[in-house]
Amino acid sequence: MAIDSVIDAKQIKTDSESLAVWGKDWTNGFEVAPSAVVFPESNEQVVAIVEYAIANQVSLVPSGGRTGLSGGAVASSGEVVVSFDRMNRIIDFNKEDRLVTCQAGVVTQVLQEFAAEHDLFYPVDFASAGSSQVGGNVATNAGGIKVIRYGLTRNWVAGMRIVTGAGVLLACNQGLVKNATGYDLRHLFIGSEGTLGLICEVDMRLTSLPESQVVMVVGVPNAVDLLSVLMAFSDELTLSAFEFFSDLALDKVIAHRDLQPPLATREPYYALLEFDESSLDAATRAFEHCVTEGWVTDGVISQSGAQAQALWQLREGISESIAGDTPYKNDLSVTINQVPEFLSDVDQFVEASYPGYDVCWYGHIGDGNLHLNILRPEDMSVEDFMEKGHEMSPKIFELVQERQGSISAEHGVGLLKKDFLNYTRSDKEIELMRGLKNLFDPHQILNPGKLFS
Ligand code: 2HG
Ligand code: ZN
């Protein structure tokens, strides 16, 4: 039986160009070979697709905005890709509860704009907000640049409708604030990377609009002082963001976007802070304290929304600016107090074992989340460099493990890191995770080979 027995032919694509587009996300290096892409338009159609997959032993790969960086949405071996592009409507809004019900394919920025139109705020934000979709955000528990103040996607999911691998449409929580009736299955699906169910609809909670935000960029000569700067500001005010980037990252982004460096003096590191306008005096006090202590040498502060956005580009544009260097990417986290030591561990390891490689650091340092990108030397082939990366991974992950950190802070495990899951999760935990997988996806049709083999 073919898939067009359960879904209209107009909702199926099998041409090679479409397979190449919908069969992958932003991750490179994996084979892309789906057999078809289907575009359901309702929860019932998602159920029908899952029933079809069970009956015909077909594997399904859920696909959102395809902005993932761990291969979670890559279809490498004849799977049917289930794209949520046509389930992209906001279907309900409840002002009293501040709840907005989105189909899984609603783009993050559309949700943010919808909230703003109602004088409310959806605070989860990241550079790919213009393409990423709500379902994918939930499936990876997306983080981004405002986690320090507002938390991860998980904090905003008030309910969801999801189709399990057994073809059952479950409604989890339904927007309740309080619901003490046992296991909260909603939280099991958040971050499950499409391995337990296909997310169809999400009830997102919104919050009050923040006051106008101010952005500050400061130069930090020593990595070890980034933490002192964070503490100095956190003692004085509530931060909406605390990000960092290295001077090499700055070089890359200003060259790529034709921007100016933010400060007259270049330093090895920079911190980007965001806070409420009413905290300006407190921020000035913290800044002066940091200068007196020698943690910070110089700083710039936005005078308008446009300037704030321009400063944000210096951080948000980095990932795109190094894409041409086909970097060996890592998305690591440790507890915040260990960040400076961990950063130095990794730097020392790379310097000693792989001298001459450019290490481009940036990330959400206020959450303990560091994006480590090692750049490919110009004269090295992509294949040889990828091999070097594979060689490096266990050693870097050992450094993560020594500090009980995570090998994936926010991008997810997908195909890229599944062989290394045990550096962050114990064997017992992985065994229980497999048990849950078998329970929710008894026929092993949902995103097989992701998270673990
Ligand atoms: C970011 O914070 C994204 O810019 C991408 O999570 C990180 O490219 C990366 O390594
Ligand atoms: Zn990030």
Side-chain angles (χ1 to χ4, degrees), residues 400-416:
V400 173
Q401 192 175 32
E402 275 168 25
R403 296 185 179 278
Q404 281 98 48
S406 175
I407 60 155
S408 176
E410 61 172 3
H411 295 165
V413 176
L415 287 173
L416 198 65

PDB file of all heavy atoms in Angstrom, residues 400-416:
ATOM      1  N   VAL A 400      34.004  17.163  29.577  1.00  0.00           N
ATOM      2  CA  VAL A 400      32.631  17.497  29.978  1.00  0.00           C
ATOM      3  C   VAL A 400      32.196  16.574  31.122  1.00  0.00           C
ATOM      4  O   VAL A 400      31.647  17.012  32.143  1.00  0.00           O
ATOM      5  CB  VAL A 400      31.665  17.331  28.777  1.00  0.00           C
ATOM      6  CG1 VAL A 400      30.215  17.503  29.201  1.00  0.00           C
ATOM      7  CG2 VAL A 400      32.003  18.324  27.664  1.00  0.00           C
ATOM      8  N   GLN A 401      32.482  15.298  30.927  1.00  0.00           N
ATOM      9  CA  GLN A 401      32.060  14.288  31.919  1.00  0.00           C
ATOM     10  C   GLN A 401      32.714  14.522  33.279  1.00  0.00           C
ATOM     11  O   GLN A 401      32.064  14.375  34.321  1.00  0.00           O
ATOM     12  CB  GLN A 401      32.440  12.904  31.394  1.00  0.00           C
ATOM     13  CG  GLN A 401      31.826  11.771  32.172  1.00  0.00           C
ATOM     14  CD  GLN A 401      32.145  10.431  31.524  1.00  0.00           C
ATOM     15  OE1 GLN A 401      33.222  10.265  30.928  1.00  0.00           O
ATOM     16  NE2 GLN A 401      31.236   9.491  31.610  1.00  0.00           N
ATOM     17  N   GLU A 402      33.992  14.902  33.249  1.00  0.00           N
ATOM     18  CA  GLU A 402      34.707  15.161  34.518  1.00  0.00           C
ATOM     19  C   GLU A 402      33.992  16.216  35.347  1.00  0.00           C
ATOM     20  O   GLU A 402      34.102  16.257  36.552  1.00  0.00           O
ATOM     21  CB  GLU A 402      36.125  15.686  34.215  1.00  0.00           C
ATOM     22  CG  GLU A 402      37.122  14.580  33.969  1.00  0.00           C
ATOM     23  CD  GLU A 402      38.433  15.134  33.381  1.00  0.00           C
ATOM     24  OE1 GLU A 402      38.747  16.324  33.593  1.00  0.00           O
ATOM     25  OE2 GLU A 402      39.105  14.346  32.693  1.00  0.00           O
ATOM     26  N   ARG A 403      33.261  17.092  34.667  1.00  0.00           N
ATOM     27  CA  ARG A 403      32.566  18.175  35.378  1.00  0.00           C
ATOM     28  C   ARG A 403      31.052  17.940  35.433  1.00  0.00           C
ATOM     29  O   ARG A 403      30.289  18.849  35.702  1.00  0.00           O
ATOM     30  CB  ARG A 403      32.860  19.514  34.694  1.00  0.00           C
ATOM     31  CG  ARG A 403      34.326  19.871  34.766  1.00  0.00           C
ATOM     32  CD  ARG A 403      34.629  21.230  34.215  1.00  0.00           C
ATOM     33  NE  ARG A 403      36.065  21.517  34.345  1.00  0.00           N
ATOM     34  CZ  ARG A 403      36.643  21.964  35.449  1.00  0.00           C
ATOM     35  NH1 ARG A 403      35.923  22.224  36.515  1.00  0.00           N
ATOM     36  NH2 ARG A 403      37.946  22.163  35.484  1.00  0.00           N
ATOM     37  N   GLN A 404      30.643  16.714  35.173  1.00  0.00           N
ATOM     38  CA  GLN A 404      29.206  16.350  35.143  1.00  0.00           C
ATOM     39  C   GLN A 404      28.403  17.316  34.270  1.00  0.00           C
ATOM     40  O   GLN A 404      27.304  17.753  34.627  1.00  0.00           O
ATOM     41  CB  GLN A 404      28.604  16.342  36.556  1.00  0.00           C
ATOM     42  CG  GLN A 404      28.920  15.100  37.360  1.00  0.00           C
ATOM     43  CD  GLN A 404      30.084  15.337  38.298  1.00  0.00           C
ATOM     44  OE1 GLN A 404      30.102  16.333  39.007  1.00  0.00           O
ATOM     45  NE2 GLN A 404      31.048  14.449  38.288  1.00  0.00           N
ATOM     46  N   GLY A 405      28.999  17.658  33.129  1.00  0.00           N
ATOM     47  CA  GLY A 405      28.335  18.583  32.216  1.00  0.00           C
ATOM     48  C   GLY A 405      27.502  17.855  31.182  1.00  0.00           C
ATOM     49  O   GLY A 405      27.277  16.648  31.274  1.00  0.00           O
ATOM     50  N   SER A 406      27.048  18.614  30.170  1.00  0.00           N
ATOM     51  CA  SER A 406      26.238  18.002  29.117  1.00  0.00           C
ATOM     52  C   SER A 406      26.923  18.149  27.758  1.00  0.00           C
ATOM     53  O   SER A 406      27.439  19.223  27.419  1.00  0.00           O
ATOM     54  CB  SER A 406      24.857  18.646  29.056  1.00  0.00           C
ATOM     55  OG  SER A 406      24.146  18.106  27.947  1.00  0.00           O
ATOM     56  N   ILE A 407      26.879  17.058  26.973  1.00  0.00           N
ATOM     57  CA  ILE A 407      27.459  17.097  25.628  1.00  0.00           C
ATOM     58  C   ILE A 407      26.523  17.811  24.654  1.00  0.00           C
ATOM     59  O   ILE A 407      26.899  18.101  23.532  1.00  0.00           O
ATOM     60  CB  ILE A 407      27.776  15.679  25.098  1.00  0.00           C
ATOM     61  CG1 ILE A 407      26.498  14.834  25.031  1.00  0.00           C
ATOM     62  CG2 ILE A 407      28.850  15.009  25.941  1.00  0.00           C
ATOM     63  CD1 ILE A 407      26.579  13.717  24.031  1.00  0.00           C
ATOM     64  N   SER A 408      25.294  18.062  25.078  1.00  0.00           N
ATOM     65  CA  SER A 408      24.394  18.862  24.259  1.00  0.00           C
ATOM     66  C   SER A 408      23.528  19.734  25.157  1.00  0.00           C
ATOM     67  O   SER A 408      22.568  19.259  25.768  1.00  0.00           O
ATOM     68  CB  SER A 408      23.497  17.993  23.389  1.00  0.00           C
ATOM     69  OG  SER A 408      22.610  18.852  22.702  1.00  0.00           O
ATOM     70  N   ALA A 409      23.867  21.008  25.210  1.00  0.00           N
ATOM     71  CA  ALA A 409      23.139  21.912  26.099  1.00  0.00           C
ATOM     72  C   ALA A 409      21.785  22.286  25.530  1.00  0.00           C
ATOM     73  O   ALA A 409      20.800  22.349  26.247  1.00  0.00           O
ATOM     74  CB  ALA A 409      23.963  23.172  26.322  1.00  0.00           C
ATOM     75  N   GLU A 410      21.737  22.531  24.195  1.00  0.00           N
ATOM     76  CA  GLU A 410      20.469  23.013  23.630  1.00  0.00           C
ATOM     77  C   GLU A 410      20.196  22.525  22.217  1.00  0.00           C
ATOM     78  O   GLU A 410      19.072  22.640  21.750  1.00  0.00           O
ATOM     79  CB  GLU A 410      20.406  24.550  23.674  1.00  0.00           C
ATOM     80  CG  GLU A 410      21.503  25.226  22.870  1.00  0.00           C
ATOM     81  CD  GLU A 410      21.347  26.738  22.748  1.00  0.00           C
ATOM     82  OE1 GLU A 410      20.411  27.304  23.328  1.00  0.00           O
ATOM     83  OE2 GLU A 410      22.173  27.348  22.046  1.00  0.00           O
ATOM     84  N   HIS A 411      21.169  21.983  21.512  1.00  0.00           N
ATOM     85  CA  HIS A 411      20.923  21.584  20.117  1.00  0.00           C
ATOM     86  C   HIS A 411      20.347  20.182  19.982  1.00  0.00           C
ATOM     87  O   HIS A 411      19.825  19.835  18.929  1.00  0.00           O
ATOM     88  CB  HIS A 411      22.210  21.678  19.286  1.00  0.00           C
ATOM     89  CG  HIS A 411      22.728  23.084  19.147  1.00  0.00           C
ATOM     90  ND1 HIS A 411      23.988  23.369  18.710  1.00  0.00           N
ATOM     91  CD2 HIS A 411      22.141  24.288  19.402  1.00  0.00           C
ATOM     92  CE1 HIS A 411      24.170  24.689  18.681  1.00  0.00           C
ATOM     93  NE2 HIS A 411      23.058  25.255  19.113  1.00  0.00           N
ATOM     94  N   GLY A 412      20.474  19.383  21.016  1.00  0.00           N
ATOM     95  CA  GLY A 412      19.945  18.023  20.956  1.00  0.00           C
ATOM     96  C   GLY A 412      20.999  17.004  20.535  1.00  0.00           C
ATOM     97  O   GLY A 412      22.103  17.357  20.102  1.00  0.00           O
ATOM     98  N   VAL A 413      20.629  15.733  20.641  1.00  0.00           N
ATOM     99  CA  VAL A 413      21.560  14.624  20.408  1.00  0.00           C
ATOM    100  C   VAL A 413      21.494  14.172  18.952  1.00  0.00           C
ATOM    101  O   VAL A 413      22.522  14.023  18.276  1.00  0.00           O
ATOM    102  CB  VAL A 413      21.239  13.450  21.367  1.00  0.00           C
ATOM    103  CG1 VAL A 413      22.122  12.243  21.076  1.00  0.00           C
ATOM    104  CG2 VAL A 413      21.415  13.900  22.815  1.00  0.00           C
ATOM    105  N   GLY A 414      20.272  13.939  18.468  1.00  0.00           N
ATOM    106  CA  GLY A 414      20.063  13.564  17.058  1.00  0.00           C
ATOM    107  C   GLY A 414      20.946  12.425  16.606  1.00  0.00           C
ATOM    108  O   GLY A 414      21.133  11.429  17.315  1.00  0.00           O
ATOM    109  N   LEU A 415      21.505  12.587  15.414  1.00  0.00           N
ATOM    110  CA  LEU A 415      22.443  11.590  14.885  1.00  0.00           C
ATOM    111  C   LEU A 415      23.863  11.917  15.313  1.00  0.00           C
ATOM    112  O   LEU A 415      24.698  11.028  15.493  1.00  0.00           O
ATOM    113  CB  LEU A 415      22.421  11.625  13.342  1.00  0.00           C
ATOM    114  CG  LEU A 415      21.207  11.059  12.628  1.00  0.00           C
ATOM    115  CD1 LEU A 415      21.316  11.340  11.125  1.00  0.00           C
ATOM    116  CD2 LEU A 415      21.091   9.558  12.866  1.00  0.00           C
ATOM    117  N   LEU A 416      24.095  13.204  15.505  1.00  0.00           N
ATOM    118  CA  LEU A 416      25.458  13.692  15.686  1.00  0.00           C
ATOM    119  C   LEU A 416      26.106  13.210  16.976  1.00  0.00           C
ATOM    120  O   LEU A 416      27.287  12.885  16.997  1.00  0.00           O
ATOM    121  CB  LEU A 416      25.422  15.228  15.659  1.00  0.00           C
ATOM    122  CG  LEU A 416      26.721  15.959  15.416  1.00  0.00           C
ATOM    123  CD1 LEU A 416      27.266  15.673  14.022  1.00  0.00           C
ATOM    124  CD2 LEU A 416      26.500  17.467  15.563  1.00  0.00           C
TER     125      LEU A 416
END
